[in-house]
């Protein structure tokens, strides 16, 4: 049987890494025994916590696969987030929870759902196929769902995610609140990163209508720790604004314990943040209560007010 | 609850029509009670046979839906084959067995599989959700699978299609060979069509490398009936070749009983058919043994030899 490479998106998060491991198990159970769980980038600290907790190895690092190879995509479908020669391989399956950004010239198995995490779909696939979920697989799944939904508090959370976490926590024998917070905290350890790296950990270029912007985000259990770096962060943000000719740079410091974000906003369109959220920027910063999701709570609101 | 419109592709075949009816039933079972099965075109004679057999009405004919409406796509995902304002509606779900040709800016439920028929996927969805399949639903499903796979003889047929037909035939209380052949025959009644209509019933423009071609196909249980029209067909084919500056016009008369195709080939590249299939055109025609699928048995072979 020909080898099948399974991988999530570049710059992988916990969902991409665990989904490749879980999908490899699932495919093996389906009878596809020559599968290999892979990753397209380094393991982040949150994912490292999960792998260490289970005492298991990370998926194999690959940069690309040979033309004509069989692949399965998890947690992504956009060619921009995948291997460079995606148009030259044979995609057997896609399991994903993002918008549809792929076009193919052949039929394939494609399963996407509007849920908070790929692992929630994997959980349903195991159920539908009557496959048992063991403790290791359950831990991988529940870790990713907690990660993507910030402990089920993100507005991306659905009933399916909540149900999955409930059952998977029992199989994994964890208290999701306790385990989840420890895991999320592990991911917020910024000690090894410099200012520029912190600003680029999770930064996206987004145009709010005419307002050319970058919205960067960092999760933390200790907002003050990051705010201590404010002067240095602002200096580098201003440099980036000049270099890239931006109208706005929003840096969200998201408090994973209390589900708020402290925003630092710079650039000539910074006041758009005041208008959008009904807040007053003081010394370039304000608290955005309840805001944790860039996709659901920043992009639409900023676009509407731009 | 807001209304959800369910429909298959334009110029609907039996799969598109039955899948909209079956998906409406499935959604109702899921608790989405405000759904309406629709169609984007006229019922063909094969589908008419199925609806008459069951004594049920066709889905509601619509040309379009209002911007912002909720829709579910079955048996297609390509915007070219759908309503014109597809980019202005909210696609909740896609159930399909074609290549991926859709891009979205939002998450949705997307289920595609490389099987012969959408109804084979619907069958699996009922199973996965533990929903009972009644006699009417089983008949709709099995009719579409027989239609798309030409009684499981087309090379597009998969094990999943075969398994579905086996179980569904029992629920539907039909002999698939007997019922299926009657249904397929009903679809091959060409008596109401003129020559030009016959050539355009299922015609696709395809370039085999540099060879600009049209490949038209018609299913029949009586090849000689169609071959009696050969002189008129050839006259009109030659006109189309001149009008559209084609190198090749292949007209496949596909024998659904014996799973062969009689081809009529005209144009300056007609000899390509001889090379591709190892046959000799006599009076512009030859028998292509075992050839029933344009997608799997014409496009790749003609392209390879062009």
């Amino acid at each position: 049987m020909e080898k099948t490479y399974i991988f999530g998106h570049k710059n992988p998060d916990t969902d991409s890494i665990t989904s490749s491991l879980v999908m490899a198990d699932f495919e093996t159970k389906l009878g596809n025994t020559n599968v290999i769980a892979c990753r397209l980038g380094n393991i982040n600290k949150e994912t490292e916590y999960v792998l260490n907790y289970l005492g298991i190895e990370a998926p194999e690092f690959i940069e690309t696969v040979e033309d004509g190879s069989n692949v399965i995509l998890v947690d992504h479908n956009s060619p921009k987030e995948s291997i460079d020669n995606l148009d030259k391989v044979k995609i057997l399956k896609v399991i994903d929870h993002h918008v549809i950004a792929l076009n193919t010239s052949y039929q394939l198995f494609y399963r996407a759902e509007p849920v908070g995490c790929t692992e929630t779909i994997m959980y349903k696939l195991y159920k539908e196929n009557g496959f048992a979920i063991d403790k290791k697989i359950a831990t991988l799944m529940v870790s990713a769902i907690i990660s993507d939904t910030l402990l089920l508090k993100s507005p991306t959370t659905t009933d399916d995610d909540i149900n999955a976490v409930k059952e998977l926590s029992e199989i994994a024998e964890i208290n999701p609140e306790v385990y989840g917070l420890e895991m999320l905290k592990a991911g917020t350890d910024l000690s090894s990163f410099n200012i520029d790296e912190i600003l680029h950990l999770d930064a996206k270029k987004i145009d709010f209508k005419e307002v050319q912007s970058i919205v960067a985000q960092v999760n933390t259990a200790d907002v003050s720790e990051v705010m201590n770096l404010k002067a240095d962060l602002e200096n580098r943000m201003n440099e980036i604004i000049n270099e890239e000719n931006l109208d706005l740079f929003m840096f969200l410091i998201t408090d994973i314990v209390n589900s708020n974000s402290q925003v630092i906003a710079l650039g000539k369109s910074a006041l758009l943040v005041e208008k959008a959220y009904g807040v007053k920027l003081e010394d370039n910063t304000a608290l955005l209560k309840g805001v944790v999701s860039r996709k659901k709570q920043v992009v639409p609101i900023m676009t509407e007010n731009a």
Side-chain angles (χ1 to χ4, degrees), chain A:
Chain A
M1 195 179 273
E2 226 180 313
K3 190 181 274 191
T4 300
Y5 300 88
I6 305 174
F7 47 84
H9 54 74
K10 283 179 182 166
N11 195 15
D13 58 5
T14 299
D15 192 17
S16 272
I17 296 298
T18 63
S19 289
S20 75
L21 292 166
V22 169
M23 189 64 187
D25 177 76
F26 180 78
E27 283 294 304
T28 306
K29 286 185 160 64
L30 279 180
N32 183 5
T33 51
N34 197 1
V35 293
I36 177 163
C38 301
R39 61 185 163 95
L40 302 184
N42 294 331
I43 299 290
N44 69 30
K45 290 186 179 177
E46 181 191 276
T47 311
E48 194 176 288
Y49 177 91
V50 178
L51 299 176
N52 287 343
Y53 178 88
L54 288 167
I56 61 174
E57 295 290 316
E60 187 170 316
F61 174 70
I62 57 169
E63 291 199 61
T64 187
V65 299
E66 272 182 47
D67 286 358
S69 301
N70 288 332
V71 308
I72 293 176
L73 309 184
V74 292
D75 193 33
H76 76 299
N77 72 83
S78 170
K80 287 181 191 166
E81 297 190 89
S82 199
I83 51 172
D84 293 339
N85 60 337
L86 191 68
D87 59 337
K88 297 198 177 61
V89 301
K90 171 81 179 162
I91 306 170
L92 300 182
K93 301 188 181 188
V94 176
I95 318 288
D96 188 28
H97 68 123
H98 295 92
V99 306
I100 315 288
L102 178 73
N103 282 350
T104 67
S105 58
Y106 51 86
Q107 290 175 288
L108 73 167
F109 183 99
Y110 199 110
R111 173 76 172 254
E113 296 198 30
V115 293
C117 182
T118 307
E119 290 288 26
T120 301
I121 305 168
M122 290 305 310
Y123 167 78
K124 293 172 85 170
L125 284 170
Y126 274 72
K127 296 293 234 185
E128 288 164 6
N129 285 273
F131 294 162
I133 299 173
D134 66 26
K135 191 172 171 177
K136 183 187 88 176
I137 296 295
T139 307
L140 290 168
M141 286 177 169
V142 74
S143 298
I145 305 173
I146 288 170
S147 166
D148 269 9
T149 65
L150 290 178
L151 258 170
L152 302 177
K153 286 178 193 156
S154 163
T156 58
T157 310
T158 67
D159 287 345
D160 284 350
D161 300 306
I162 295 167
N163 292 337
V165 165
K166 199 174 165 195
E167 183 177 335
L168 292 169
S169 297
E170 283 173 24
I171 303 172
E173 294 177 37
I174 59 152
N175 177 327
E177 298 286 335
V178 176
Y179 170 87
L181 199 56
E182 281 308 306
M183 181 196 78
L184 291 171
K185 273 185 185 168
T188 66
D189 176 8
L190 300 175
S191 58
S192 65
F193 300 114
N194 65 31
I195 292 292
D196 198 54
E197 286 167 339
I198 291 171
L199 288 172
H200 285 94
L201 277 174
D202 184 11
K204 291 208 174 160
K205 278 197 157 187
I206 307 169
D207 292 347
F208 305 123
K209 290 179 189 153
E210 308 292 302
V211 182
Q212 296 189 3
S213 311
I214 284 181
V215 183
Q217 185 171 24
V218 69
N219 291 332
T220 183
D222 184 354
V223 174
S224 64
E225 188 188 37
V226 186
M227 284 299 278
N228 285 339
L229 307 170
K230 183 163 175 284
D232 290 339
L233 287 166
E234 289 185 354
N235 283 340
R236 184 62 193 132
M237 285 165 72
N238 277 321
E239 284 174 18
I240 295 170
I241 288 170
N242 288 329
E243 287 163 13
E244 308 206 12
N245 204 15
L246 298 174
D247 302 310
L248 173 65
F249 194 136
M250 286 175 77
F251 181 57
L252 295 165
I253 305 158
T254 298
D255 181 340
I256 57 167
V257 182
N258 301 301
S259 302
N260 296 315
S261 289
Q262 187 75 31
V263 65
I264 301 174
L266 295 176
K268 64 174 183 279
S269 297
L271 291 186
L272 183 55
V273 173
E274 296 196 344
K275 184 182 167 203
Y277 294 95
V279 295
K280 185 87 194 139
L281 289 171
E282 285 181 26
D283 201 14
N284 308 319
T285 184
L287 179 69
L288 306 183
K289 286 190 185 162
V291 172
V292 296
S293 166
R294 179 171 48 198
K295 183 166 69 174
K296 296 232 176 187
Q297 297 173 298
V298 176
V299 177
I301 289 150
M302 290 293 288
T303 305
E304 198 182 308
N305 285 282

PDB file of all heavy atoms in Angstrom, chain A residues 29-57:
ATOM      1  N   LYS A  29      -7.327   2.481  11.645  1.00  0.00           N
ATOM      2  CA  LYS A  29      -8.530   1.732  12.021  1.00  0.00           C
ATOM      3  C   LYS A  29      -9.397   1.438  10.791  1.00  0.00           C
ATOM      4  O   LYS A  29     -10.087   0.418  10.730  1.00  0.00           O
ATOM      5  CB  LYS A  29      -9.334   2.508  13.069  1.00  0.00           C
ATOM      6  CG  LYS A  29      -8.706   2.475  14.461  1.00  0.00           C
ATOM      7  CD  LYS A  29      -9.598   3.167  15.490  1.00  0.00           C
ATOM      8  CE  LYS A  29      -9.281   2.768  16.916  1.00  0.00           C
ATOM      9  NZ  LYS A  29      -7.924   3.149  17.377  1.00  0.00           N
ATOM     10  N   LEU A  30      -9.355   2.332   9.795  1.00  0.00           N
ATOM     11  CA  LEU A  30     -10.119   2.109   8.557  1.00  0.00           C
ATOM     12  C   LEU A  30      -9.442   1.081   7.652  1.00  0.00           C
ATOM     13  O   LEU A  30     -10.011   0.666   6.654  1.00  0.00           O
ATOM     14  CB  LEU A  30     -10.255   3.420   7.768  1.00  0.00           C
ATOM     15  CG  LEU A  30     -11.328   4.420   8.179  1.00  0.00           C
ATOM     16  CD1 LEU A  30     -11.265   5.639   7.262  1.00  0.00           C
ATOM     17  CD2 LEU A  30     -12.732   3.817   8.135  1.00  0.00           C
ATOM     18  N   GLY A  31      -8.177   0.715   7.981  1.00  0.00           N
ATOM     19  CA  GLY A  31      -7.486  -0.272   7.171  1.00  0.00           C
ATOM     20  C   GLY A  31      -6.393   0.298   6.290  1.00  0.00           C
ATOM     21  O   GLY A  31      -5.732  -0.425   5.554  1.00  0.00           O
ATOM     22  N   ASN A  32      -6.203   1.613   6.346  1.00  0.00           N
ATOM     23  CA  ASN A  32      -5.134   2.267   5.586  1.00  0.00           C
ATOM     24  C   ASN A  32      -3.896   2.305   6.483  1.00  0.00           C
ATOM     25  O   ASN A  32      -3.675   3.258   7.230  1.00  0.00           O
ATOM     26  CB  ASN A  32      -5.574   3.683   5.189  1.00  0.00           C
ATOM     27  CG  ASN A  32      -4.538   4.393   4.331  1.00  0.00           C
ATOM     28  OD1 ASN A  32      -3.525   3.816   3.937  1.00  0.00           O
ATOM     29  ND2 ASN A  32      -4.811   5.652   4.034  1.00  0.00           N
ATOM     30  N   THR A  33      -3.085   1.254   6.421  1.00  0.00           N
ATOM     31  CA  THR A  33      -2.031   1.081   7.430  1.00  0.00           C
ATOM     32  C   THR A  33      -0.736   1.811   7.108  1.00  0.00           C
ATOM     33  O   THR A  33       0.094   2.005   7.976  1.00  0.00           O
ATOM     34  CB  THR A  33      -1.714  -0.426   7.602  1.00  0.00           C
ATOM     35  OG1 THR A  33      -1.476  -0.970   6.307  1.00  0.00           O
ATOM     36  CG2 THR A  33      -2.867  -1.144   8.256  1.00  0.00           C
ATOM     37  N   ASN A  34      -0.547   2.246   5.875  1.00  0.00           N
ATOM     38  CA  ASN A  34       0.708   2.923   5.520  1.00  0.00           C
ATOM     39  C   ASN A  34       0.535   4.439   5.546  1.00  0.00           C
ATOM     40  O   ASN A  34       0.626   5.115   4.524  1.00  0.00           O
ATOM     41  CB  ASN A  34       1.196   2.441   4.156  1.00  0.00           C
ATOM     42  CG  ASN A  34       2.662   2.774   3.932  1.00  0.00           C
ATOM     43  OD1 ASN A  34       3.317   3.345   4.800  1.00  0.00           O
ATOM     44  ND2 ASN A  34       3.164   2.437   2.760  1.00  0.00           N
ATOM     45  N   VAL A  35       0.239   4.963   6.748  1.00  0.00           N
ATOM     46  CA  VAL A  35       0.050   6.406   6.901  1.00  0.00           C
ATOM     47  C   VAL A  35       1.126   6.952   7.830  1.00  0.00           C
ATOM     48  O   VAL A  35       1.625   6.236   8.699  1.00  0.00           O
ATOM     49  CB  VAL A  35      -1.338   6.747   7.493  1.00  0.00           C
ATOM     50  CG1 VAL A  35      -2.435   6.389   6.518  1.00  0.00           C
ATOM     51  CG2 VAL A  35      -1.557   6.055   8.834  1.00  0.00           C
ATOM     52  N   ILE A  36       1.467   8.217   7.641  1.00  0.00           N
ATOM     53  CA  ILE A  36       2.464   8.826   8.511  1.00  0.00           C
ATOM     54  C   ILE A  36       2.010  10.236   8.896  1.00  0.00           C
ATOM     55  O   ILE A  36       1.707  11.066   8.041  1.00  0.00           O
ATOM     56  CB  ILE A  36       3.863   8.824   7.845  1.00  0.00           C
ATOM     57  CG1 ILE A  36       4.872   9.533   8.746  1.00  0.00           C
ATOM     58  CG2 ILE A  36       3.844   9.430   6.459  1.00  0.00           C
ATOM     59  CD1 ILE A  36       6.312   9.232   8.382  1.00  0.00           C
ATOM     60  N   ALA A  37       1.913  10.445  10.225  1.00  0.00           N
ATOM     61  CA  ALA A  37       1.531  11.756  10.745  1.00  0.00           C
ATOM     62  C   ALA A  37       2.713  12.702  10.595  1.00  0.00           C
ATOM     63  O   ALA A  37       3.827  12.378  11.009  1.00  0.00           O
ATOM     64  CB  ALA A  37       1.117  11.646  12.212  1.00  0.00           C
ATOM     65  N   CYS A  38       2.482  13.869   9.989  1.00  0.00           N
ATOM     66  CA  CYS A  38       3.566  14.822   9.722  1.00  0.00           C
ATOM     67  C   CYS A  38       3.193  16.212  10.225  1.00  0.00           C
ATOM     68  O   CYS A  38       2.062  16.455  10.638  1.00  0.00           O
ATOM     69  CB  CYS A  38       3.842  14.902   8.216  1.00  0.00           C
ATOM     70  SG  CYS A  38       4.309  13.322   7.483  1.00  0.00           S
ATOM     71  N   ARG A  39       4.177  17.117  10.185  1.00  0.00           N
ATOM     72  CA  ARG A  39       3.940  18.526  10.526  1.00  0.00           C
ATOM     73  C   ARG A  39       4.782  19.376   9.611  1.00  0.00           C
ATOM     74  O   ARG A  39       5.857  18.978   9.168  1.00  0.00           O
ATOM     75  CB  ARG A  39       4.273  18.793  11.991  1.00  0.00           C
ATOM     76  CG  ARG A  39       5.726  18.524  12.340  1.00  0.00           C
ATOM     77  CD  ARG A  39       5.987  18.692  13.836  1.00  0.00           C
ATOM     78  NE  ARG A  39       7.244  18.062  14.207  1.00  0.00           N
ATOM     79  CZ  ARG A  39       8.426  18.705  14.291  1.00  0.00           C
ATOM     80  NH1 ARG A  39       8.493  20.006  14.040  1.00  0.00           N
ATOM     81  NH2 ARG A  39       9.523  18.053  14.611  1.00  0.00           N
ATOM     82  N   LEU A  40       4.277  20.596   9.327  1.00  0.00           N
ATOM     83  CA  LEU A  40       4.969  21.492   8.396  1.00  0.00           C
ATOM     84  C   LEU A  40       5.756  22.581   9.117  1.00  0.00           C
ATOM     85  O   LEU A  40       6.195  23.545   8.488  1.00  0.00           O
ATOM     86  CB  LEU A  40       3.967  22.133   7.427  1.00  0.00           C
ATOM     87  CG  LEU A  40       3.107  21.184   6.572  1.00  0.00           C
ATOM     88  CD1 LEU A  40       2.238  21.985   5.602  1.00  0.00           C
ATOM     89  CD2 LEU A  40       3.977  20.191   5.807  1.00  0.00           C
ATOM     90  N   GLY A  41       5.906  22.450  10.442  1.00  0.00           N
ATOM     91  CA  GLY A  41       6.635  23.493  11.170  1.00  0.00           C
ATOM     92  C   GLY A  41       6.934  23.064  12.582  1.00  0.00           C
ATOM     93  O   GLY A  41       6.636  21.929  12.985  1.00  0.00           O
ATOM     94  N   ASN A  42       7.517  24.000  13.348  1.00  0.00           N
ATOM     95  CA  ASN A  42       7.908  23.699  14.729  1.00  0.00           C
ATOM     96  C   ASN A  42       6.699  23.552  15.652  1.00  0.00           C
ATOM     97  O   ASN A  42       5.650  24.156  15.419  1.00  0.00           O
ATOM     98  CB  ASN A  42       8.801  24.816  15.272  1.00  0.00           C
ATOM     99  CG  ASN A  42      10.128  24.867  14.544  1.00  0.00           C
ATOM    100  OD1 ASN A  42      10.617  23.842  14.055  1.00  0.00           O
ATOM    101  ND2 ASN A  42      10.702  26.061  14.444  1.00  0.00           N
ATOM    102  N   ILE A  43       6.903  22.758  16.697  1.00  0.00           N
ATOM    103  CA  ILE A  43       5.902  22.575  17.737  1.00  0.00           C
ATOM    104  C   ILE A  43       5.913  23.804  18.649  1.00  0.00           C
ATOM    105  O   ILE A  43       6.975  24.230  19.103  1.00  0.00           O
ATOM    106  CB  ILE A  43       6.267  21.320  18.576  1.00  0.00           C
ATOM    107  CG1 ILE A  43       6.288  20.078  17.700  1.00  0.00           C
ATOM    108  CG2 ILE A  43       5.371  21.164  19.783  1.00  0.00           C
ATOM    109  CD1 ILE A  43       4.953  19.617  17.221  1.00  0.00           C
ATOM    110  N   ASN A  44       4.742  24.388  18.926  1.00  0.00           N
ATOM    111  CA  ASN A  44       4.734  25.506  19.871  1.00  0.00           C
ATOM    112  C   ASN A  44       4.697  24.988  21.317  1.00  0.00           C
ATOM    113  O   ASN A  44       4.575  23.787  21.556  1.00  0.00           O
ATOM    114  CB  ASN A  44       3.601  26.495  19.555  1.00  0.00           C
ATOM    115  CG  ASN A  44       2.225  25.900  19.834  1.00  0.00           C
ATOM    116  OD1 ASN A  44       2.055  25.053  20.710  1.00  0.00           O
ATOM    117  ND2 ASN A  44       1.229  26.351  19.089  1.00  0.00           N
ATOM    118  N   LYS A  45       4.800  25.901  22.251  1.00  0.00           N
ATOM    119  CA  LYS A  45       4.958  25.475  23.657  1.00  0.00           C
ATOM    120  C   LYS A  45       3.700  24.829  24.226  1.00  0.00           C
ATOM    121  O   LYS A  45       3.762  23.967  25.099  1.00  0.00           O
ATOM    122  CB  LYS A  45       5.375  26.672  24.506  1.00  0.00           C
ATOM    123  CG  LYS A  45       6.795  27.101  24.180  1.00  0.00           C
ATOM    124  CD  LYS A  45       7.287  28.180  25.094  1.00  0.00           C
ATOM    125  CE  LYS A  45       8.730  28.527  24.704  1.00  0.00           C
ATOM    126  NZ  LYS A  45       9.244  29.645  25.524  1.00  0.00           N
ATOM    127  N   GLU A  46       2.551  25.285  23.752  1.00  0.00           N
ATOM    128  CA  GLU A  46       1.293  24.677  24.207  1.00  0.00           C
ATOM    129  C   GLU A  46       1.224  23.220  23.756  1.00  0.00           C
ATOM    130  O   GLU A  46       0.911  22.322  24.542  1.00  0.00           O
ATOM    131  CB  GLU A  46       0.115  25.469  23.617  1.00  0.00           C
ATOM    132  CG  GLU A  46      -1.247  24.950  24.047  1.00  0.00           C
ATOM    133  CD  GLU A  46      -2.346  25.589  23.217  1.00  0.00           C
ATOM    134  OE1 GLU A  46      -2.774  26.697  23.568  1.00  0.00           O
ATOM    135  OE2 GLU A  46      -2.755  24.986  22.200  1.00  0.00           O
ATOM    136  N   THR A  47       1.531  22.994  22.477  1.00  0.00           N
ATOM    137  CA  THR A  47       1.502  21.630  21.950  1.00  0.00           C
ATOM    138  C   THR A  47       2.555  20.759  22.640  1.00  0.00           C
ATOM    139  O   THR A  47       2.315  19.578  22.914  1.00  0.00           O
ATOM    140  CB  THR A  47       1.743  21.643  20.426  1.00  0.00           C
ATOM    141  OG1 THR A  47       0.887  22.608  19.824  1.00  0.00           O
ATOM    142  CG2 THR A  47       1.461  20.279  19.817  1.00  0.00           C
ATOM    143  N   GLU A  48       3.704  21.352  22.900  1.00  0.00           N
ATOM    144  CA  GLU A  48       4.781  20.638  23.602  1.00  0.00           C
ATOM    145  C   GLU A  48       4.268  20.126  24.951  1.00  0.00           C
ATOM    146  O   GLU A  48       4.566  19.002  25.357  1.00  0.00           O
ATOM    147  CB  GLU A  48       5.939  21.613  23.815  1.00  0.00           C
ATOM    148  CG  GLU A  48       7.245  21.004  24.223  1.00  0.00           C
ATOM    149  CD  GLU A  48       8.327  22.093  24.288  1.00  0.00           C
ATOM    150  OE1 GLU A  48       8.742  22.561  23.204  1.00  0.00           O
ATOM    151  OE2 GLU A  48       8.706  22.501  25.404  1.00  0.00           O
ATOM    152  N   TYR A  49       3.468  20.960  25.632  1.00  0.00           N
ATOM    153  CA  TYR A  49       2.889  20.561  26.922  1.00  0.00           C
ATOM    154  C   TYR A  49       2.037  19.303  26.743  1.00  0.00           C
ATOM    155  O   TYR A  49       2.122  18.356  27.534  1.00  0.00           O
ATOM    156  CB  TYR A  49       2.041  21.713  27.474  1.00  0.00           C
ATOM    157  CG  TYR A  49       1.322  21.388  28.771  1.00  0.00           C
ATOM    158  CD1 TYR A  49       1.911  21.652  30.000  1.00  0.00           C
ATOM    159  CD2 TYR A  49       0.048  20.814  28.756  1.00  0.00           C
ATOM    160  CE1 TYR A  49       1.261  21.343  31.193  1.00  0.00           C
ATOM    161  CE2 TYR A  49      -0.611  20.489  29.935  1.00  0.00           C
ATOM    162  CZ  TYR A  49      -0.006  20.761  31.152  1.00  0.00           C
ATOM    163  OH  TYR A  49      -0.645  20.456  32.317  1.00  0.00           O
ATOM    164  N   VAL A  50       1.241  19.272  25.705  1.00  0.00           N
ATOM    165  CA  VAL A  50       0.347  18.131  25.456  1.00  0.00           C
ATOM    166  C   VAL A  50       1.155  16.861  25.174  1.00  0.00           C
ATOM    167  O   VAL A  50       0.890  15.796  25.740  1.00  0.00           O
ATOM    168  CB  VAL A  50      -0.608  18.427  24.273  1.00  0.00           C
ATOM    169  CG1 VAL A  50      -1.508  17.229  23.989  1.00  0.00           C
ATOM    170  CG2 VAL A  50      -1.427  19.680  24.546  1.00  0.00           C
ATOM    171  N   LEU A  51       2.160  16.985  24.295  1.00  0.00           N
ATOM    172  CA  LEU A  51       2.967  15.813  23.924  1.00  0.00           C
ATOM    173  C   LEU A  51       3.752  15.297  25.137  1.00  0.00           C
ATOM    174  O   LEU A  51       3.833  14.079  25.359  1.00  0.00           O
ATOM    175  CB  LEU A  51       3.920  16.169  22.778  1.00  0.00           C
ATOM    176  CG  LEU A  51       3.249  16.613  21.468  1.00  0.00           C
ATOM    177  CD1 LEU A  51       4.297  17.034  20.436  1.00  0.00           C
ATOM    178  CD2 LEU A  51       2.349  15.525  20.887  1.00  0.00           C
ATOM    179  N   ASN A  52       4.269  16.212  25.942  1.00  0.00           N
ATOM    180  CA  ASN A  52       4.991  15.799  27.153  1.00  0.00           C
ATOM    181  C   ASN A  52       4.051  15.137  28.159  1.00  0.00           C
ATOM    182  O   ASN A  52       4.407  14.155  28.811  1.00  0.00           O
ATOM    183  CB  ASN A  52       5.670  17.001  27.812  1.00  0.00           C
ATOM    184  CG  ASN A  52       6.878  17.462  27.018  1.00  0.00           C
ATOM    185  OD1 ASN A  52       7.381  16.720  26.172  1.00  0.00           O
ATOM    186  ND2 ASN A  52       7.330  18.672  27.281  1.00  0.00           N
ATOM    187  N   TYR A  53       2.859  15.696  28.303  1.00  0.00           N
ATOM    188  CA  TYR A  53       1.856  15.128  29.218  1.00  0.00           C
ATOM    189  C   TYR A  53       1.600  13.663  28.867  1.00  0.00           C
ATOM    190  O   TYR A  53       1.482  12.803  29.740  1.00  0.00           O
ATOM    191  CB  TYR A  53       0.574  15.946  29.117  1.00  0.00           C
ATOM    192  CG  TYR A  53      -0.573  15.445  29.986  1.00  0.00           C
ATOM    193  CD1 TYR A  53      -0.719  15.862  31.296  1.00  0.00           C
ATOM    194  CD2 TYR A  53      -1.512  14.549  29.466  1.00  0.00           C
ATOM    195  CE1 TYR A  53      -1.763  15.405  32.088  1.00  0.00           C
ATOM    196  CE2 TYR A  53      -2.557  14.075  30.244  1.00  0.00           C
ATOM    197  CZ  TYR A  53      -2.679  14.508  31.556  1.00  0.00           C
ATOM    198  OH  TYR A  53      -3.715  14.043  32.338  1.00  0.00           O
ATOM    199  N   LEU A  54       1.523  13.388  27.545  1.00  0.00           N
ATOM    200  CA  LEU A  54       1.250  12.018  27.092  1.00  0.00           C
ATOM    201  C   LEU A  54       2.525  11.192  26.922  1.00  0.00           C
ATOM    202  O   LEU A  54       2.452   9.976  26.749  1.00  0.00           O
ATOM    203  CB  LEU A  54       0.499  12.056  25.753  1.00  0.00           C
ATOM    204  CG  LEU A  54      -0.959  12.506  25.821  1.00  0.00           C
ATOM    205  CD1 LEU A  54      -1.488  12.798  24.417  1.00  0.00           C
ATOM    206  CD2 LEU A  54      -1.830  11.444  26.495  1.00  0.00           C
ATOM    207  N   GLY A  55       3.679  11.860  26.955  1.00  0.00           N
ATOM    208  CA  GLY A  55       4.933  11.157  26.738  1.00  0.00           C
ATOM    209  C   GLY A  55       5.058  10.588  25.332  1.00  0.00           C
ATOM    210  O   GLY A  55       5.536   9.476  25.127  1.00  0.00           O
ATOM    211  N   ILE A  56       4.586  11.351  24.346  1.00  0.00           N
ATOM    212  CA  ILE A  56       4.675  10.869  22.956  1.00  0.00           C
ATOM    213  C   ILE A  56       5.468  11.839  22.090  1.00  0.00           C
ATOM    214  O   ILE A  56       5.673  13.002  22.452  1.00  0.00           O
ATOM    215  CB  ILE A  56       3.280  10.631  22.318  1.00  0.00           C
ATOM    216  CG1 ILE A  56       2.469  11.932  22.270  1.00  0.00           C
ATOM    217  CG2 ILE A  56       2.521   9.554  23.081  1.00  0.00           C
ATOM    218  CD1 ILE A  56       1.163  11.804  21.525  1.00  0.00           C
ATOM    219  N   GLU A  57       5.912  11.319  20.944  1.00  0.00           N
ATOM    220  CA  GLU A  57       6.721  12.096  20.006  1.00  0.00           C
ATOM    221  C   GLU A  57       5.838  12.990  19.138  1.00  0.00           C
ATOM    222  O   GLU A  57       4.680  12.663  18.870  1.00  0.00           O
ATOM    223  CB  GLU A  57       7.484  11.141  19.070  1.00  0.00           C
ATOM    224  CG  GLU A  57       8.510  10.274  19.756  1.00  0.00           C
ATOM    225  CD  GLU A  57       9.712  11.082  20.231  1.00  0.00           C
ATOM    226  OE1 GLU A  57      10.186  11.923  19.456  1.00  0.00           O
ATOM    227  OE2 GLU A  57      10.147  10.864  21.391  1.00  0.00           O
TER     228      GLU A  57
END
